[in-house]
Structures are given as structure tokens and as C-alpha cells.
Amino acid sequence: MERSHEFDLCIVVDDDEDILMAARMLLRGLFAEVVTVRTPQEAMPLLARKPEVVLLDANFARGATDAAEGLAWLDRMLLADPDLVVVMITAHAGVQIAVAAMKRGATDFVSKPWANERLLATVRTAAMLRRSRSAVSTERGKVATVASSGTGETPLLGDAPAMARVHSLIARAGPTDANVLILGENGTGKELVARALHRASLRAERAMVTVDLGAISEELIDSELFGHLKGAFTDARADRVGRIEAADGGTLFLDEIGNLPLHLQPKLLTALEQRKVTPVGANKPVPVDIRVIAATNMSRDRLTDEGHFRQDLLFRLNTVEIDLPPLRERREDIPLLVAHFLALYARRYDRPPPELSDGARAALMAHDWPGNVRALRHAVERAVILSNGGPLQPDDFPLSASAPRVPVTALTAATPAEAGDLNLDRAEKRMVEEALRKHGYNISLAAAELGLSRAALYRRMEKHGL
């Protein structure tokens, strides 16, 4: 079973192919992608991808030992991205060079030949620093909410009676400071409802800070929400503003609130009741002024079970409750959504919007859409990309019937053709599909069974067009 990764991208710059190979092998368990290049010139365009860490050699010219070239490239990289986290690679006795690099903005250094444990610890700490810088920069900066017009964000479309109730609740609750709990299956548009509530509020000109509690490891949730002081724990090398404090004056959106561990629920309840947060390692609370919107795909039975979720916290969160209907319960909205997505992806891929045949429209409306609007969006995008210019037919959409719910490890359930198929990509796609179907497209449960984080599962869904 494939392990999930803590971080997304690391770039290693060194002119020694053996060093690059060793770094790739060692760091691939920590990062989803390790990109290695032999010159700083090759690395510069890659900075636009916002790597968590850049490992940069100090010397590139043959016989050079003064690190002049490496330090010059360090300056250029930090000029291109002031928040970049760079770890210098120095010769074994390069302490003076390491000190000079850190004075010029490097985060840390490692010496060649390195000890694997030392390199891993250094790079992990550096990646956490990058994550902290990015969060503070985003959350203390401009308003995080972007209006849907002129962007790729899907508007909250729908005229079905169930959606009319949702729009009515948004219109009535939006201008107030009441806490709102949004319930609904994955892919129904819970974040869109949260953004609509924020736009309708008196806080619309301030930030809406989103915390996806399903994508943060349990060990980091406390620090993510409440922040920490330098030295509060081993990797706390600088003060960090928590997401709750960063939302001061605006809206805090707690996505997948059902994933908040039980032992942290009392702390969140206290913060919401007292409107104060205490960072990890601090003794003095910080006052905050926030409006809280929470969302979960957890069933109502599980949410009202004291063994999974504190009822006093639930009462604090659901002053107003909005229940988003699954797409199968508002099929009359499917043509409107399809027309929107066809136009959206035709513009994105610079091609004329394809027509939809009557047969395709009927097939789309008859499908149950276990992944809801998100699955419909992906299906339409795929159809636009693969369109040959004629009207879209039912076969242009992935509308296969839902498979029976069987364990994803039951490879014997595959068809005879699949059973002999040893292609790893196709096998991975089948297992992801099976896990999603088994758990009714509940991302958290499917990810847990596959042994992945939610973020890693989303990456695989995108990779395989799911």
C-alpha cells in the first residue's frame, strides 16, 4: 500500500548526479515529488511551483570552494520569492559558508556527505517553516474570498425546490453573525455555500479563512488552529499565527469539522464561547472577533453521537443549519449545471462549446452521481477535452453503473481482463474507484481505507479523471 506524503514538492540543485540520486531516494518518502536539476538556471523557472524546500549546492564551477556562485544564486532565488525556504548543501568543513548563507537568508544547511537522519530532520523542519510562512502570508493578507464572476469558481447554481430553500437560508442568515453548520455529501458544494454566506455578511470585506480539518494531520491541528510560540515544541522555530486568530474580523470556515479529534473539541468550544485563543506555549489568551461557518459530510446519526462529537460544541456551531441536497435529489438542475460547465471548459480549453445530444442529456439526468456536482463537473470537463466536434453522446461521459460495495482489497472482484492486467496506473485507478464506491464517495473514509491522506486521494482522483 502506498504511503501518503507530508509535503508536495522539493527541488534539489547539485551538479553531482550521485548526490541528486541519493537525495531523490531519501526524500521521496517525505515529498510527493522530488525534482532534481544540475544547475541553478534550471531551478529558477521551477520556483513558480512554490516548492516547500529548495536544497541548493554551494559550489558549481569545477574546483570552486568559496561558494560565491551558490550564494549569488541564493540571493536571486530569494529575490524571486522572499518566502522561499532554501537549505544550503556545503562541503564537510564549510561552516563559515553555512553561516554566510544563513545571514543572507538560507534557512539551514547540510554538509556533504550527510547523515540521512540529519538531512531528513533538517528538510522536514524547513518544509514546516515554509508551510507556516505561506499560511501567515495568506491569512494576514488580502481577503481570501473571491467573487465567482471572472474566476473558475462554480457559482451556486440550482432552481430545484431543495436548492430554493438553501438560497433562502443563505439570504436570511448571511447578513447576521450567527454560526452556520452546513451538512451534505462530498461534492455537493458546501464550500460554495460558505463563500456565499461570507459574501452576504457584514464581514465581506475581511478575510474568509478556510481550515480543511480533513487534510491536516491530527498532530498539527492544534498548532494550525490556535498557533504557537517559538520554542513551544521541537520544530517551533518561530511564532505562528493560528487560523482562528488570522480570521479576526472576518469569517472562519471549518471544513470537515467532523474530523476534529475529540480531545481538541473542548478547546475549540472554549475559544468560541470566550472569543479568545491561546497559542500553544502561551499563557495569555488573544481576543478574536470571528463568525464561524462549519461543514461536514458526517451523517446526522454519527454527528449526534457523543462518542464522536461533543453535543455542546455542535449546539454552538449549528445556530443555523443548512442541509445541502445530493444531486440525485435535484435532477432538474443537471441541465443548468451541464450548460455552465460546458461553457466554462470550452473557454478554458479554447474551443467552441460542444452541443449536448438528447440522449446524453437524458443519460446525465438519469445517473445517480454518487460524487455529486464535483463528479458532474469532472465528467463534463473530460467530455469537452475529448470531444471530436460533434454533439456529445452518452458514451462521452463516464456513466457506468455503480459497482457493488466490496472491499477494495478484493482483487478477485475484478473482471477477467482486469485480473490479468498488471499495469500499475490502471490498477491504482480501479482501487481508488472501488474505495470511493464502497464508501459512497466519502473522501475521508475512502482515503483511510486506501491508507492515504485526503489530499493524496484528491491528487489521485485528479490524476485518473475521477
Side-chain angles (χ1 to χ4, degrees):
M1 184 176 294
E2 186 175 344
R3 62 178 294 181
S4 56
H5 299 88
E6 290 184 48
F7 307 102
D8 293 324
L9 176 62
C10 177
I11 297 172
V12 186
V13 191
D14 198 293
D15 58 357
D16 187 331
E17 188 59 45
D18 290 339
I19 292 292
L20 296 180
M21 175 64 76
R24 275 198 303 269
M25 297 294 291
L26 183 62
L27 298 176
R28 65 184 181 182
L30 193 60
F31 293 88
E33 185 178 6
V34 180
V35 177
T36 57
V37 293
R38 299 192 65 169
T39 67
Q41 291 92 332
E42 295 174 85
M44 291 300 292
L46 299 174
L47 301 186
R49 296 181 59 189
K50 300 297 182 183
E52 280 95 346
V53 181
V54 174
L55 277 166
L56 176 64
D57 191 19
N59 292 292
F60 291 91
R62 182 179 298 275
T65 59
D66 60 1
E69 190 175 6
L71 293 175
W73 280 106
L74 170 65
D75 292 341
R76 291 184 62 177
M77 289 181 176
L78 293 176
L79 183 63
D81 181 356
D83 289 332
L84 190 66
V85 169
V86 180
V87 174
M88 293 296 293
I89 305 174
T90 70
H92 183 67
V95 176
Q96 289 184 333
I97 292 172
V99 171
M102 295 179 73
K103 285 181 178 180
R104 292 167 76 154
T107 298
D108 209 333
F109 72 97
V110 291
S111 299
K112 294 187 288 188
W114 58 61
N116 287 345
E117 294 78 7
R118 160 70 177 165
L119 178 65
L120 283 172
T122 299
V123 172
R124 180 181 284 110
T125 300
M128 288 300 300
L129 175 61
R130 171 67 173 196
R131 182 176 287 175
S132 298
R133 286 180 180 176
S134 298
V136 172
S137 175
T138 299
E139 293 153 10
R140 283 298 196 190
K142 298 181 179 179
V143 175
T145 302
V146 180
S148 61
S149 59
T151 75
E153 180 182 311
T154 307
L156 192 64
L157 298 173
D159 300 320
M163 286 304 293
R165 173 173 168 77
V166 170
H167 289 298
S168 175
L169 287 170
I170 292 172
R172 286 180 286 163
T176 74
D177 255 359
N179 292 340
V180 180
L181 177 64
I182 307 167
L183 304 177
E185 296 177 6
N186 280 306
T188 50
K190 295 187 290 295
E191 184 172 357
L192 296 181
V193 172
R195 294 192 177 281
L197 287 164
H198 177 71
R199 283 195 295 269
S201 75
L202 299 177
R203 301 169 179 266
E205 298 303 316
R206 303 298 296 272
M208 178 175 131
V209 176
T210 298
V211 187
D212 185 351
L213 294 167
I216 304 173
S217 66
E218 185 172 328
E219 296 78 13
L220 297 176
I221 289 179
D222 197 358
S223 175
E224 288 283 337
L225 285 177
F226 302 99
H228 63 248
L229 298 186
K230 180 180 179 180
F233 47 88
T234 303
D235 292 328
R237 296 196 169 190
D239 291 353
R240 172 166 185 171
V241 176
R243 304 290 183 92
I244 297 176
E245 186 181 349
D248 186 34
T251 300
L252 177 69
F253 176 42
L254 298 173
D255 199 7
E256 301 297 351
I257 187 66
N259 288 309
L260 182 66
L262 265 174
H263 72 274
L264 288 178
Q265 292 179 21
K267 187 171 182 179
L268 176 60
L269 176 63
T270 300
L272 298 183
E273 288 178 338
Q274 299 180 358
R275 298 290 166 174
K276 295 178 180 178
V277 294
T278 303
V280 178
N283 296 318
K284 184 179 178 181
V286 179
V288 291
D289 170 26
I290 56 173
R291 193 259 187 99
V292 178
I293 301 173
T296 182
N297 60 19
M298 186 176 284
S299 69
R300 193 179 299 277
D301 288 343
R302 190 174 176 87
L303 196 61
T304 54
D305 181 351
E306 189 75 39
H308 292 102
F309 204 86
R310 288 180 62 106
Q311 298 308 288
D312 47 2
L313 176 57
L314 179 61
F315 295 147
R316 173 65 60 174
L317 293 171
N318 72 343
T319 305
V320 176
E321 191 172 292
I322 297 179
D323 200 346
L324 267 177
L327 190 54
R328 62 185 174 274
E329 293 180 7
R330 55 180 188 110
R331 296 177 191 271
E332 58 266 52
D333 286 336
I334 289 177
L336 178 65
L337 290 163
V338 171
H340 169 75
F341 292 136
L342 285 174
L344 171 68
Y345 288 113
R347 288 194 304 270
R348 179 170 297 179
Y349 297 112
D350 193 24
R351 56 186 63 187
E355 294 183 8
L356 194 66
S357 69
D358 291 341
R361 181 177 291 103
L364 292 172
M365 292 188 68
H367 191 58
D368 279 343
W369 296 109
N372 295 295
V373 179
R374 182 185 294 125
L376 176 65
R377 176 176 182 153
H378 289 165
V380 173
E381 181 181 16
R382 174 182 180 274
V384 170
I385 292 171
L386 300 179
S387 170
N388 59 9
L392 296 175
Q393 304 297 328
D395 289 346
D396 292 317
F397 298 91
L399 302 178
S400 57
S402 296
R405 293 190 174 192
V406 296
V408 295
T409 53
L411 296 181
T412 54
T415 65
E418 290 172 340
D421 184 357
L422 299 180
N423 181 277
L424 286 176
D425 275 347
R426 289 193 291 271
E428 180 183 73
K429 181 179 180 180
R430 286 197 300 272
M431 294 184 73
V432 170
E433 287 179 318
E434 200 64 61
L436 290 170
R437 291 185 185 123
K438 175 182 177 182
H439 295 290
Y441 280 75
N442 183 305
I443 301 298
S444 298
L445 296 178
E449 178 145 357
L450 289 167
L452 302 172
S453 68
R454 281 169 51 87
L457 177 54
Y458 276 127
R459 284 196 296 270
R460 282 160 178 78
M461 290 171 66
E462 292 290 342
K463 171 185 173 183
H464 297 298
L466 301 175

